[in-house]
Amino acid sequence: SRKQAVEDAKAVVVDLEKKYRDLAHEAKLAGFKAKGPKKFVAKSNPKCPVCTKTVYVTEKVTDSRDEIYHKLCLRCSVCKKSLVGKEPITDEKTLAIKAGQF
């Protein structure tokens, strides 16, 4: 009957819960710790050395030293021409190109 089936199902659930508690207790005694869900950690995007703003993947270009810039920020500090795809002459603070390069 339906009433008997419900009682049987409840008995199965109670039995499974008891087995789960017993297994969890044994695991705890053995030194295992329950791990929760992994937390999402977002990777921080790099900052552009020219404007100091965040550089997102869609805006990213690199210079010859593999530093990351915005496409519009990677320019010659003297003539302001784009250095995307060029090899700039650089020191630590400036980007420049050779006079006859363009």
Side-chain angles (χ1 to χ4, degrees):
S1 79
R2 180 169 157 69
K3 194 172 191 176
Q4 184 61 38
V6 170
E7 292 298 320
D8 291 344
K10 285 182 180 178
V12 169
V13 169
V14 168
D15 187 45
L16 288 174
E17 287 175 340
K18 183 181 180 316
K19 286 180 182 178
Y20 174 78
R21 281 193 305 272
D22 291 344
L23 287 173
H25 182 69
E26 288 176 26
K28 187 176 181 182
L29 290 177
F32 291 100
K33 293 182 179 178
K35 293 182 180 179
K38 291 186 178 183
K39 293 182 180 178
F40 175 74
V41 178
K43 293 181 181 179
S44 62
N45 290 316
K47 303 284 183 190
C48 176
V50 175
C51 67
T52 66
K53 294 181 181 176
T54 301
V55 180
Y56 297 100
V57 175
T58 56
E59 312 167 307
K60 179 171 108 170
V61 293
T62 57
D63 69 356
S64 59
R65 297 175 296 176
D66 290 330
E67 279 195 59
I68 297 171
Y69 293 84
H70 290 108
K71 190 174 186 177
L72 296 175
C73 292
L74 187 57
R75 298 191 166 280
C76 175
S77 58
V78 178
C79 67
K80 306 300 182 209
K81 289 184 180 178
S82 175
L83 294 175
V84 176
K86 309 279 190 270
E87 190 167 325
I89 307 300
T90 62
D91 62 27
E92 291 302 312
K93 303 243 188 244
T94 61
L95 296 167
I97 55 174
K98 293 179 186 176
Q101 191 170 352
F102 283 99

